[in-house]
Amino acid sequence: ERALLNSTLVGLCVARRYPPVPSHRHGREGAAEQPGVMDMASNPYTPLAGSAGQPSYQRKRVVRAVGLATGGLLFGGMAVYATSTMSASPHTGSLETMSSGASGAQKATATPREAIVAADEAAPTGYVPMFTSAISSIFGGASSSSSSQVAQDDSVGTTPAEIMTMKARQKATPATLGADKSTWGLQSATLTHGETLYVSCEAERRLGRPLGDGYNYPESGFDANTLFVRVGHETVFEFGQKTTWALTQTDKVTGGSMTMYTGAQEADSLTITIATPGQYTIVVGGQTATVDARVMRYEVRDLSDDDREAYLSALHTMYYVSDEEGLAVYGDQYKSAAWLVRQHLYGAASRECDHWHDDAGVINHHVGITWELENVLRSIDSTTAAHYWDYTREAAEGISWYDSPYFDDDWFGSNSASSTEHMITEGRWAYLPVMESARGYSNITNPYGLLRSPWNTDSTPYVMRHNTTLWNFADGNSDFPTCSEFQSTAEDDWIGTMFNRLNGLLHGPVHLMIGGHWGWSDKWESYMKDLSSTDVFLLFAKYLWRQGFIHVPDYCSSDTPSSECSTHCPSEVLDGMTATEVLNISGAFSLLEDTYWTTMEDYGFSDEEMLSALCSIGHPGEMFSSAAPYDPIFWPLHGTAERFMGLMRVSHARGITSFSETWGYYHNTYNPSDTHTMCDWSGIDTDSFDRPTCTGDTSCSGHKEDDTLPFEGLWSGQDGLYTNAEFYVFTSPFNEELPYMYDSLEYWEGCGEIIS
């Protein structure tokens, strides 16, 4: 009855919020599954046949069978059916238990239920994951529930910016097992008879911070006795007196309780490792508390040495094990780094527009591909996760950005390669290869057949980095994005503005500072050094390519000199126009600020010289290109954006900040990457010199709220492609079905000294 009521309410809300959206999943009935092989027929950005250098794209739209707008009762009926169907494969798994070092601890012996494990391997069908509490976030409402278990100190701040500062200033006190609990600052639960159960994992005790920090306010909808547990790692439950222990889970088919573990004898503590995300119940002498087991994402610096090595080793494996080999060894969730690079290229290197960046879909796309990465890493090593990089710490700790520990040889390698080819030559990632002869693997390659942006005509078959952008060190940045910039964004009143800042100001500089750009004539050096930043030239050259002014060679053999395999603007395309006319028609004078043109005049450069330089583009490192996932440092970068949005959504539900969640994006005036333009290449022969029709004030497909995202199989039970609106709801920090979470939404170590 409760499920029917909740589902009916959800259906009514969804029908009211999304009346035009067809429903429901965007899958293809009867499609053969090929794990590890990109399903081109269901990808919203399916490439059409075309040359490697000039692909064109169409957007696949599959009408859903049942409309979200058909009303609450129908939707409720679907949810009840879904609940029953989902129960065929409950979120359970083998449980590994071992003895605790605490006095009186029991060595627990878990007997895995083979039938449950087997059921978990089969993906449930018919599940419609919409949640009343999650949807209330999109409407700006807050769900009602009992108080959160981990105490949240409202004195730390009354706005997100204040919380970020004050939490960072709080002294974290490492905890000890078996010690006096009067100053316990980690998780605990008040049991049925008023007694207290304490819980912690190694990372919590070492860091002195509880899991679930920032999630577990009453408005988030979590049960008052919810205890967050890190999947794949030992968790210690302490009760203080000997008692019986059991762990159960509700069978979603029958509604009955399934015993996952029963202790052989009484003990005052239990050490247990839960292998599979899901909701469990810990039974302590007949008293109960809810256990929410999640894959936990930590700042890489905060990992133990062993956990950091497990993460980096799994990441390294993904770069060197092919799809075919990985599927055979690691199972259906495995994808190689090349697979993920190809997916990013199909979205970001489309000739018509960028389906992933510079518009409202930017966060969803990067949350999705990071989730894909996590599934791959966990298929290699189930103890790891898609850990993140809080790059606001560098500036706060007085560390020059290029001295960050992330650039240690055994972490992610030097920020700027010393070789003339700009490839990493030392450490874990030395000579990291880019796939060669990739035309049979991807419809997008560069002219040399490397799995790289088509306009990046560099022939070096290795990942490249350079900390200078056309002679401008770090593209004019002195630091990575800082806490104060995140805090100012927390004052925005619309998610469209937040999306814009998270796309650009709050993460874009890291890409530019590591990727870099080179290859222009030395005569431009003094001019470039006189500018505050120089990334705009590559960005605008890419826009010239989308508009058809710049052409890329179709094919270059591996021994073709770079001088004979570069981008260019054919005279047939220019069709007698002057350089000034081309720059004007293409939008250069409106997208690049006046200072670029006045300074150019001061140095005596002409429009003809500028157009010639733009047409030849030069070469960027992977991080400043559509093939950015080829650089392993790409992967920890985007968790910070998701974590920030989680903080904002919880703060909104608590009523301590107010912003509109109406779908959209704030577009900049002077930004040659954010053109808000789509160029129609359909019907144009790729061998011709015709240019496409480009339409301004148009959102590229992949960014509107009812556009589908290309991610499949992210979680057990995903039954097709999700729209932006649906994915935004599902990845809410309120969603108990989300299998992962961040160690903390509120603790930002780099924010401790920003506000006095």
Side-chain angles (χ1 to χ4, degrees):
E1 291 175 348
R2 180 181 297 173
L4 177 60
L5 175 60
N6 286 343
S7 301
T8 301
L9 291 173
V10 171
L12 290 171
C13 289
V14 172
R16 175 170 170 258
R17 179 70 176 89
Y18 302 119
V21 182
S23 181
H24 186 307
R25 291 288 151 256
H26 311 268
R28 296 176 301 115
E29 184 176 355
E33 294 185 4
Q34 301 182 46
V37 178
M38 183 172 287
D39 183 358
M40 300 310 302
S42 66
N43 192 310
Y45 322 126
T46 304
L48 299 171
S51 67
Q54 299 177 357
S56 57
Y57 288 78
Q58 63 181 355
R59 180 167 170 270
K60 179 74 173 178
R61 293 292 293 160
V62 181
V63 179
R64 303 181 189 183
V66 182
L68 283 175
T70 53
L73 288 176
L74 176 57
F75 194 92
M78 290 172 62
V80 171
Y81 162 75
T83 300
S84 299
T85 310
M86 181 179 175
S87 60
S89 51
H91 290 290
T92 58
S94 60
L95 301 173
E96 177 188 347
T97 58
M98 54 195 71
S99 63
S100 165
S103 174
Q106 167 71 35
K107 179 174 181 179
T109 303
T111 304
R113 293 171 51 106
E114 294 181 2
I116 295 174
V117 175
D120 189 55
E121 295 172 354
T125 59
Y127 178 42
V128 182
M130 291 289 186
F131 306 92
T132 306
S133 60
I135 287 184
S136 70
S137 170
I138 228 172
F139 302 140
S143 61
S144 61
S145 68
S146 55
S147 61
S148 174
Q149 179 54 39
V150 178
Q152 300 288 348
D153 184 2
D154 287 333
S155 68
V156 301
T158 58
T159 68
E162 290 177 357
I163 288 171
M164 294 166 77
T165 298
M166 301 307 294
K167 280 277 185 176
R169 290 179 176 178
Q170 286 182 338
K171 183 178 180 180
T173 304
T176 304
L177 291 173
D180 174 41
K181 296 296 190 289
S182 61
T183 59
W184 184 260
L186 304 182
Q187 298 184 82
S188 63
T190 302
L191 301 180
T192 312
H193 302 312
E195 296 172 294
T196 303
L197 176 66
Y198 302 93
V199 62
S200 62
C201 67
E202 179 278 332
E204 288 178 284
R205 295 189 297 271
R206 174 170 47 83
L207 299 172
R209 299 196 302 272
L211 293 177
D213 181 38
Y215 285 88
N216 40 21
Y217 290 100
E219 296 86 353
S220 297
F222 289 105
D223 182 85
N225 273 348
T226 296
L227 297 168
F228 295 108
V229 167
R230 187 182 182 191
V231 163
H233 291 260
E234 286 185 12
T235 296
V236 180
F237 295 91
E238 297 181 273
F239 188 56
Q241 55 186 298
K242 290 188 175 182
T243 187
T244 59
W245 296 87
L247 189 74
T248 67
Q249 190 172 45
T250 300
D251 187 318
K252 295 182 180 179
V253 174
T254 66
S257 178
M258 302 180 297
T259 300
M260 310 304 300
Y261 161 78
T262 301
Q265 59 188 26
E266 292 186 347
D268 61 5
S269 67
L270 172 69
T271 299
I272 191 167
T273 297
I274 299 180
T276 306
Q279 303 288 316
Y280 300 84
T281 298
I282 185 77
V283 184
V284 186
Q287 305 181 76
T288 63
T290 300
V291 171
D292 190 336
R294 304 280 189 108
V295 177
M296 291 290 173
R297 299 178 178 179
Y298 280 88
E299 216 281 347
V300 175
R301 277 170 282 212
D302 290 342
L303 294 170
S304 68
D305 291 343
D306 288 344
D307 284 345
R308 188 182 307 110
E309 180 57 34
Y311 164 68
L312 291 169
S313 293
L315 190 63
H316 191 269
T317 297
M318 184 185 77
Y319 277 84
Y320 283 92
V321 176
S322 68
D323 295 327
E324 183 178 2
E325 294 170 320
L327 288 169
V329 175
Y330 302 115
D332 292 350
Q333 285 288 344
Y334 183 82
K335 296 175 177 68
S336 67
W339 196 101
L340 296 171
V341 171
R342 179 180 63 180
Q343 183 182 51
H344 194 271
L345 281 170
Y346 283 171
S350 167
R351 194 77 188 268
E352 60 182 359
C353 55
D354 190 327
H355 302 280
W356 282 42
H357 306 89
D358 298 299
D359 213 325
V362 60
I363 300 302
N364 275 347
H365 279 96
H366 290 84
V367 168
I369 198 171
T370 302
W371 195 344
E372 284 184 321
L373 167 83
E374 183 164 85
N375 289 340
V376 174
L377 296 181
R378 286 179 47 74
S379 74
I380 298 168
D381 184 339
S382 61
T383 69
T384 195
H387 300 298
Y388 66 94
W389 178 10
D390 178 5
Y391 40 82
T392 67
R393 289 192 186 185
E394 273 73 8
E397 295 174 4
I399 300 173
S400 297
W401 71 267
Y402 44 82
D403 287 331
S404 168
Y406 280 77
F407 300 123
D408 289 354
D409 285 344
D410 201 40
W411 285 31
F412 292 93
S414 173
N415 65 83
S416 189
S418 57
S419 66
T420 57
E421 293 84 4
H422 303 283
M423 56 195 179
I424 306 167
T425 58
E426 297 179 355
R428 187 188 299 267
W429 303 101
Y431 302 100
L432 181 61
V434 170
M435 179 184 281
E436 300 180 79
S437 302
R439 289 186 175 89
Y441 186 79
S442 171
N443 284 9
I444 297 181
T445 69
N446 82 351
Y448 289 99
L450 296 171
L451 190 60
R452 184 168 272 162
S453 301
W455 38 263
N456 184 3
T457 59
D458 199 296
S459 62
T460 304
Y462 301 101
V463 168
M464 301 181 296
R465 291 177 182 168
H466 191 40
N467 58 19
T468 299
T469 304
L470 294 181
W471 297 281
N472 198 327
F473 181 70
D475 195 41
N477 295 286
S478 58
D479 294 300
F480 291 136
T482 63
C483 178
S484 61
E485 291 168 327
F486 277 90
Q487 289 176 318
S488 66
T489 300
E491 299 174 1
D492 290 336
D493 60 4
W494 179 38
I495 59 170
T497 310
M498 296 179 196
F499 289 162
N500 171 284
R501 285 171 154 252
L502 289 167
N503 177 89
L505 174 70
L506 300 180
H507 111 281
V510 184
H511 280 271
L512 307 177
M513 296 160 78
I514 297 172
H517 181 203
W518 62 93
W520 279 35
S521 168
D522 289 343
K523 70 180 184 180
W524 293 96
E525 180 175 356
S526 296
Y527 165 70
M528 295 296 176
K529 288 182 175 180
D530 207 13
L531 299 173
S532 60
S533 64
T534 47
D535 59 274
V536 296
F537 298 105
L538 175 60
L539 297 176
F540 186 73
K542 186 166 58 174
Y543 188 41
L544 285 172
W545 169 73
R546 286 202 161 104
Q547 294 179 81
F549 288 105
I550 290 180
H551 279 222
V552 180
D554 288 336
Y555 175 85
C556 298
S557 62
S558 59
D559 60 353
T560 302
S562 177
S563 60
E564 298 177 19
C565 187
S566 62
T567 59
H568 60 288
C569 294
S571 58
E572 293 87 345
V573 173
L574 301 182
D575 195 26
M577 289 186 288
T578 66
T580 303
E581 289 172 329
V582 172
L583 292 171
N584 183 49
I585 291 172
S586 61
F589 299 133
S590 59
L591 290 171
L592 274 65
E593 296 183 66
D594 289 344
T595 184
Y596 291 102
W597 306 108
T598 56
T599 305
M600 189 180 80
E601 292 174 0
D602 292 341
Y603 279 87
F605 290 118
S606 65
D607 289 347
E608 285 75 18
E609 289 174 293
M610 175 57 75
L611 180 61
S612 176
L614 289 167
C615 289
S616 65
I617 292 185
H619 305 299
E622 258 62 39
M623 280 288 278
F624 192 11
S625 80
S626 316
Y630 244 139
D631 193 318
I633 207 167
F634 170 91
W635 295 111
L637 182 58
H638 302 97
T640 293
E642 183 179 9
R643 208 163 63 95
F644 176 78
M645 285 305 302
L647 170 63
M648 294 305 300
R649 295 173 76 171
V650 171
S651 299
H652 186 228
R654 293 180 61 208
I656 64 173
T657 189
S658 177
F659 58 89
S660 168
E661 291 185 283
T662 301
W663 195 259
Y665 189 82
Y666 175 80
H667 291 278
N668 295 326
T669 301
Y670 292 109
N671 186 345
S673 181
D674 180 10
T675 63
H676 204 203
T677 298
M678 186 164 64
C679 296
D680 184 5
W681 282 88
S682 61
I684 295 180
D685 187 342
T686 55
D687 293 327
S688 74
F689 297 105
D690 295 334
R691 292 192 296 111
T693 299
C694 296
T695 306
D697 295 324
T698 303
S699 287
C700 183
S701 59
H703 293 290
K704 295 183 285 293
E705 68 177 331
D706 62 344
D707 284 350
T708 52
L709 301 168
F711 308 110
E712 298 182 280
L714 292 179
W715 65 91
S716 176
Q718 183 184 355
D719 56 347
L721 301 179
Y722 274 51
T723 65
N724 270 310
E726 293 162 346
F727 196 73
Y728 180 79
V729 168
F730 191 83
T731 54
S732 164
F734 312 125
N735 181 8
E736 293 181 355
E737 296 294 326
L738 201 63
Y740 68 85
M741 67 191 302
Y742 290 89
D743 61 323
S744 172
L745 296 180
E746 294 183 342
Y747 180 78
W748 294 63
E749 186 169 308
C751 297
E753 300 303 324
I754 296 298
I755 298 177
S756 61

